[in-house]
Amino acid sequence: MSKAKFAAGLMLLSTAFTFSWPVQAAADAYALGVKQFGAKTYPLAAANFKKAIAANPKNDSARYYYALSLHYNKDIAGATKAYAELIRMMPDSNGASYARAALAKLDAALLSSLPMPSRAAQQTYSQPGSTARAATAGGASQEQFRQSSSVASNPNDKLPDDCRIYYTLENNSFVLDAYVNGRPMKMIFDTGAEICAFGKDNLAAAGIPAPTGQSTGTAHGVGDGGAQATWGMNVDLKVGTIERKNFHIKVQDSVNGHALLGQTFFQDFTYTIDNGAHSIHFVKKRNSAGSSYAVDPSRDPNAVPFVRQGNELVVTVAVNGRPTQLYFDTGATSVSLTKAQCKQLGITIPEDAENMEVIGIAGSTRAKLFNVRTLKMGPIEKRDFPIHVSDSEVAGLGLLGQTFYNDHQYTIDYERGYIHFLRR
């Protein structure tokens, strides 16, 4: 289950820098393009990304978004040309890897004539259905990722080859429109939730009878309320064009907010989270080898390996230069450590740390909020970065939440066991 959701008033203080005009113009045009892309005004977005490219021709993110804007605006010829130009100019860039995925569908013949990344010159492209054998940093073979716990799909499920679902942000949580037994409901997209979890209050608000009688299990999470009684029930659950029939969910008295859309719902998909466009692009796993990532990700510094604990994703991060593991949790708004991890990392909670309230599935608890010198994972490094530590003892690992990576686009690739980052 997702371990923590919280809202805290944080003031981010920026340091003033002086930019040359072309760099500032590029930044302004790019930022405006991202906003327009998120608003689906693709012609305007394309125009601003083009300005950003003119000011900084080596901005691979601007080039990728420019091509994507043309693509979404149904200018297929223009998009094809732009994707190809990005690959030709910067074949080793992360943006080029995404361009290859798009071009594979638009013009495979053209893609085959374009340069491959130099760091993968001796690597072959993965083919659908191939079995990778390379080990991740965590020591688990990629074959093991395919054997992780999952729930069997119903033959009547509707699992499209790909679909894009848009979300809104509420306290840094991804809130999606869902339908439960045909009734509309808001749900939080939560990679830290192993299953789909509902409160009886969520069901009641949608006019859906909640399960009664003796509870059948318990749920554990952040909060001073302890283990929470749960009931199981089956529903038809639809998000976007993905629909699961007679789908098993867990219900407790309350989940303290929106219901959680967890791993069992999207286990058959690789997906890209685009924080600029506020969208999640799902690609069915049997097609994902040619769609999510074309080359060996272990050779890409922007690809972060993860291991699985049940259905949860565990990544290695460096806090003040020392390694520890955290759950990669899109349902958590911030970054947290446990008291045990602080001890292991040699971190002393400052006496003047700010008090805050953390809300989880087991109610609320108090926590201490303070900054660490550095927090690093793969290509992302943040300095003087806020984290929190719960006053109550929390078993297991802390959470890597939205505040750390919400300025990046990323793809979670379950087949290979990597998260691929592309700066927004």
Side-chain angles (χ1 to χ4, degrees), residues 19-33:
F19 296 93
S20 63
W21 181 87
V23 174
Q24 185 63 59
D28 291 346
Y30 182 80
L32 182 56

Side-chain angles (χ1 to χ4, degrees), residues 8-14 354 369 371 384 386:
L10 299 177
M11 180 176 291
L12 302 179
L13 301 179
S14 60
E354 181 181 343
L369 178 69
N371 288 9
D384 198 27

Side-chain angles (χ1 to χ4, degrees), residues 7 21 31 120 130 167 178 189 224 233 244 250 254 318 342 385:
W21 181 87
S130 65
Y167 60 81
F189 178 78
D224 293 330
M233 68 179 290
R244 293 193 179 273
K250 293 294 185 181
S254 173
C342 285
F385 188 79

Side-chain angles (χ1 to χ4, degrees), residues 253-272:
D253 285 330
S254 173
V255 291
N256 292 306
H258 297 309
L260 306 180
L261 189 75
Q263 298 277 354
T264 50
F265 183 81
F266 46 83
Q267 64 185 9
D268 293 307
F269 297 87
T270 289
Y271 48 91
T272 298

Side-chain angles (χ1 to χ4, degrees), residues 12-300:
L12 302 179
L13 301 179
S14 60
T15 303
F17 292 91
T18 300
F19 296 93
S20 63
W21 181 87
V23 174
Q24 185 63 59
D28 291 346
Y30 182 80
L32 182 56
V34 167
K35 290 182 180 179
Q36 291 166 337
F37 186 95
K40 303 182 186 180
T41 54
Y42 301 125
L44 295 176
N48 275 293
F49 288 131
K50 193 171 184 178
K51 290 179 183 178
I53 294 167
N56 180 10
K58 294 185 178 181
N59 185 338
D60 62 308
S61 293
R63 286 186 176 275
Y64 171 70
Y65 272 114
Y66 170 65
L68 197 61
S69 297
L70 297 176
H71 195 166
Y72 285 3
N73 199 45
K74 303 188 186 305
D75 181 0
I76 302 305
T80 299
K81 181 179 178 181
Y83 286 133
E85 185 176 8
L86 168 55
I87 295 168
R88 288 192 189 97
M89 288 189 64
M90 291 173 281
D92 288 345
S93 69
N94 210 21
S97 71
Y98 286 89
R100 288 187 184 92
L103 201 55
K105 292 185 176 181
L106 295 181
D107 194 333
L110 174 59
L111 176 60
S112 67
S113 70
L114 296 173
M116 289 179 63
S118 60
R119 63 175 171 269
Q122 297 182 5
Q123 301 294 319
T124 58
Y125 278 72
S126 298
Q127 299 299 321
S130 65
T131 301
R133 297 295 180 185
T136 70
S141 74
Q142 296 175 17
E143 182 65 21
Q144 285 177 285
F145 287 102
R146 295 190 176 90
Q147 297 172 351
S148 299
S149 59
S150 61
V151 175
S153 297
N154 187 302
N156 295 319
D157 287 349
K158 296 178 181 178
L159 306 178
D161 287 341
D162 68 87
C163 73
R164 186 174 296 272
I165 297 171
Y166 290 87
Y167 60 81
T168 57
L169 282 176
E170 293 185 17
N171 295 324
N172 270 334
S173 293
F174 298 161
V175 179
L176 310 174
D177 290 317
Y179 292 87
V180 182
N181 292 346
R183 305 291 182 89
M185 185 182 297
K186 300 290 186 181
M187 296 188 71
I188 292 174
F189 178 78
D190 192 346
T191 59
E194 294 191 70
I195 47 83
C196 293
F198 293 74
K200 289 185 176 181
D201 50 346
N202 300 133
L203 298 177
I208 300 171
T212 58
Q214 184 69 31
S215 63
T216 57
T218 57
H220 301 264
V222 164
D224 293 330
Q228 302 294 297
T230 63
W231 293 259
M233 68 179 290
N234 288 5
V235 298
D236 292 343
L237 178 57
K238 181 179 180 181
V239 181
T241 56
I242 304 173
E243 185 173 8
R244 293 193 179 273
K245 299 285 189 179
N246 199 32
F247 178 70
H248 192 70
I249 64 171
K250 293 294 185 181
V251 181
Q252 62 187 68
D253 285 330
S254 173
V255 291
N256 292 306
H258 297 309
L260 306 180
L261 189 75
Q263 298 277 354
T264 50
F265 183 81
F266 46 83
Q267 64 185 9
D268 293 307
F269 297 87
T270 289
Y271 48 91
T272 298
I273 297 176
D274 189 334
N275 281 297
H278 286 188
S279 70
I280 307 169
H281 183 206
F282 292 90
V283 178
K284 200 171 181 181
K285 283 183 180 178
R286 61 183 173 84
N287 293 331
S288 63
S291 302
S292 61
Y293 208 79
V295 298
D296 180 1
S298 67
R299 293 174 175 267
D300 185 350

Side-chain angles (χ1 to χ4, degrees), residues 295-311:
V295 298
D296 180 1
S298 67
R299 293 174 175 267
D300 185 350
N302 294 317
V304 175
F306 63 80
V307 294
R308 299 282 286 271
Q309 286 187 5
N311 278 331

